[in-house]
Structure formats: C-alpha cells, structure tokens
Amino acid sequence: MTTTLYLFGSAAPPVLGVGPVIEDAQRRGFDVCLGLTPTAARWLEPQAPELERLTGYPVRAEYKVPGSADVWPKADVILFSPATFNSINAWALGLTSSFVVGVCAEAIGKGIPLVTMPCVNSAYAQHRALDRSIAELRGMGVTVLYGEGGFVPNAPGEKREYPWDAALDWAERVVSSEL
C-alpha cells in the first residue's frame, strides 16, 4: 500500500533544497505531492519541472477551481516543513489565504495526521505570537517539531543544517500510528 505524503513548504532557505528531501521521502515509501506558499513557489519556479518529474504530480501553490478534479491523491499525512513565522501564525489563526495553510487547517477537521517543523530565527522566536500559535496547533493535535529534537532557532543570518530527517521520521511515525 502506498502512503501519500503532502510535503508543504514556506519561503525559508531550507525549501530551496527540497529535491533531495522528496527523494528521501520516496525511499521511505512515500508517494509525495509538493505544495508551496506563493513566495516559495516563486523561489522554486526554475526547479518546478524537475520537481514535478520527481513527484509525478504538479507542484501546487494555489487552490483548484471549485468543481474541477483534484490532481493529487488523498493525503495520508501532511508534513509542513519548513513553516515560517507567517505560516505558523496564519495556520493557528485559521487564516487560509495560502493554499498550503488552508489545506492544513482543513486537515485538522478531516483527521489527517499533521507534522510541522518551523523555520524561524531567534528574533522571530522572541515574538509572543509564535509560542501562542505553536501551543494552539499542538492543542489541535498537530505534531510541532520545535525545540529540542526538532528545529531550534538560530541567530538572524546564521546558517545551520535544517533537521529534515527528524521531520520525515515524525511523518513516518504519525502515519504508522494511524494504521
């Protein structure tokens, strides 16, 4: 049985290297559909044909037209990673102008397992809205990988390896607990 992973990303530097992450997810047995915020889609526009070839599905950044067929299979698990300060806060507040945030907000009500790993610098991490939003998402059953064992904020401009393996490990863990 194939497990469908919706891999969603915001406009944070780790999204630029999403190709190898897709390949890793596929090696783990996931059928991957890639969704992006509008800015992340613009950043990855030159890579889009290759990413579509890799996944076998269109890269999506916009809602489909009502009544049109969905081009993706139903999700078994959603991994929103990297998720920016803006995306985390919008999602927690239910502000669904972004396709990926809207799908995640709806997935809570549909019971689709959700994992997210923020990607914020330490300056954003000082804003009280982030802690409130993380607590809100966790309260709705979302696995938020923030802090020890997940993403730890870095100083603005500091480059640090993004823990993609931890995100994929948790996506595997939550979907296997649903089976």
Side-chain angles (χ1 to χ4, degrees):
M1 182 175 107
T2 303
T3 303
T4 301
L5 169 71
Y6 284 9
L7 177 59
F8 289 168
S10 297
V15 81
L16 296 170
V18 76
V21 178
I22 292 169
E23 293 172 331
D24 187 10
Q26 290 169 330
R27 281 190 296 276
R28 294 169 183 242
F30 287 115
D31 184 27
V32 182
C33 298
L34 180 62
L36 303 166
T37 61
T39 302
R42 192 173 65 249
W43 287 7
L44 292 176
E45 192 172 347
Q47 297 178 42
E50 176 58 22
L51 295 169
E52 289 180 354
R53 186 202 60 74
L54 188 59
T55 64
Y57 300 103
V59 174
R60 293 186 57 193
E62 295 185 22
Y63 288 103
K64 69 181 183 71
V65 175
S68 64
D70 201 336
V71 294
W72 287 357
K74 181 182 172 292
D76 294 302
V77 61
I78 299 173
L79 171 59
F80 194 166
S81 182
T84 60
F85 178 79
N86 183 63
S87 292
I88 291 289
N89 289 320
W91 182 8
L93 291 171
L95 304 175
T96 61
S97 59
S98 163
F99 163 70
V100 294
V101 172
V103 171
C104 288
E106 187 176 32
I108 292 168
K110 289 181 171 181
I112 299 169
L114 288 149
V115 177
T116 189
M117 186 173 337
C119 185
V120 298
N121 65 41
S122 58
Y124 280 123
Q126 297 304 308
H127 197 290
R128 291 184 296 186
L130 183 65
D131 288 336
R132 285 193 303 261
S133 293
I134 288 171
E136 187 70 20
L137 291 172
R138 285 178 173 155
M140 289 185 273
V142 177
T143 300
V144 182
L145 306 175
Y146 182 74
E148 199 62 40
F151 181 79
V152 177
N154 48 286
E158 178 187 352
K159 303 290 186 238
R160 192 181 305 158
E161 192 71 28
Y162 189 71
W164 282 110
D165 284 341
L168 289 172
D169 289 348
W170 272 98
E172 284 181 309
R173 191 172 298 152
V174 299
V175 79
S176 66
S177 71
E178 296 292 315
L179 298 178

